[in-house]
Amino acid sequence: MADQRVAVVTGASRGIGRAAATTLAAAGHAVVVGYAGDDAAAKQVVEQITAAGGQAVAGRADIADEQAVAKLFDTAEQSFGGVDVVVNSAGRMSLSPIADLDLADLDALHRTNIRGTFVVAREAARRVRTGGAIVLFSTSVVGLQFPGYGAYAASKGAVEAMTLILAREMRGRDVTVNAVAPGPTATDLFLDGKDEATVERLAKQPPLERLGTPADLAEVVAFLAGPGGRWVNGQIVRANGGII
């Protein structure tokens, strides 16, 4: 289909990225399932999309590697004819008080969350077609300032700055640039290392009194990527159930 929209989704083998990939596919996008290393999980996502009648291919890429990311976009162009939507949901999280953080962990976190986001955003800015959308990922912790999240929130603060500036740099291209900033969401990334009491406490914080789900965030992504979100641009959407 000449008018079919094509989405590149990073971090799409699990969690929010997987939900975003399948939701965009259900909305009619052909999807490139970007993933870092889990071949089997990425294959499952492709099979899930194609079994439902959609189109998808997998592409392996470390998002901080500019050559690998360029190949991911090449895959979209060669398989489906171009790129209309880019969703960068790949990310890393390290939790520690600032006083105790291992700087190797800081460097690894920033390599993925800052450099990786920048590399994907740069490629998206070069390749996304007119009428397209770029969706990056921040975190509501930038505003909530939970102890232990200093390095992670700092990296996502950089993403928010990137988002707002890129939206302005895309002037005249009819391409929107926004970031989704989830609150506590039931993903492996979030649940890892947290005991049951901590998870329960965080789940009670929003007025809706539950954790977010990957599907909740995927619907926000689909809105920003779709026709209903065309007038939303240069925004940080804090999708967190109302935590303040």
Side-chain angles (χ1 to χ4, degrees):
M1 290 172 56
D3 59 350
Q4 182 179 41
R5 284 168 72 83
V6 180
V8 173
V9 183
T10 70
S13 63
R14 63 178 187 161
I16 294 169
R18 178 173 184 152
T22 56
T23 301
L24 288 171
H29 294 73
V31 179
V32 176
V33 176
Y35 69 102
D38 192 336
D39 296 330
K43 183 180 178 184
Q44 279 185 345
V45 180
V46 170
E47 290 174 349
Q48 180 181 345
I49 290 170
T50 55
Q55 291 182 280
V57 295
R60 185 170 180 166
D62 169 2
I63 63 167
D65 180 339
E66 64 270 31
Q67 293 180 335
V69 169
K71 287 181 182 177
L72 197 63
F73 281 73
D74 290 343
T75 297
E77 293 176 349
Q78 292 160 7
S79 300
F80 304 121
V83 181
D84 302 287
V85 174
V86 176
V87 180
N88 186 55
S89 64
R92 179 189 294 265
M93 183 161 61
S94 297
L95 301 182
S96 167
I98 290 171
D100 301 329
L101 182 67
D102 186 321
L103 292 181
D105 291 338
L106 179 72
D107 291 342
L109 188 150
H110 283 189
R111 183 179 185 274
T112 298
N113 293 359
I114 299 179
R115 179 188 167 93
T117 300
F118 195 98
V119 168
V120 173
R122 186 180 74 158
E123 204 66 32
R126 293 172 174 178
R127 302 222 210 179
V128 168
R129 294 185 288 204
T130 298
I134 300 169
V135 182
L136 307 178
F137 266 83
S138 180
T139 171
S140 286
V141 178
V142 171
L144 297 171
Q145 292 124 20
F146 294 152
Y149 284 79
Y152 180 67
S155 73
K156 294 299 192 174
V159 171
E160 294 194 5
M162 248 183 268
T163 301
L164 303 178
I165 290 168
L166 183 57
R168 287 148 182 79
E169 291 179 348
M170 299 300 282
R171 176 179 291 276
R173 294 271 302 276
D174 191 25
V175 172
T176 62
V177 186
N178 296 286
V180 178
T185 305
T187 64
D188 291 342
L189 184 70
F190 169 77
L191 296 170
D192 184 41
K194 294 183 176 71
D195 60 31
E196 189 174 336
T198 299
V199 171
E200 185 175 347
R201 176 176 56 80
L202 290 168
K204 290 295 185 184
Q205 287 188 322
L208 298 178
E209 294 191 332
R210 65 173 176 85
L211 294 177
T213 67
D216 290 327
L217 279 303
E219 291 294 343
V220 177
V221 169
F223 167 72
L224 293 172
R230 294 307 302 163
W231 197 234
V232 181
N233 190 28
Q235 303 299 312
I236 311 301
V237 181
R238 302 210 182 282
N240 59 29
I243 299 178
I244 56 173

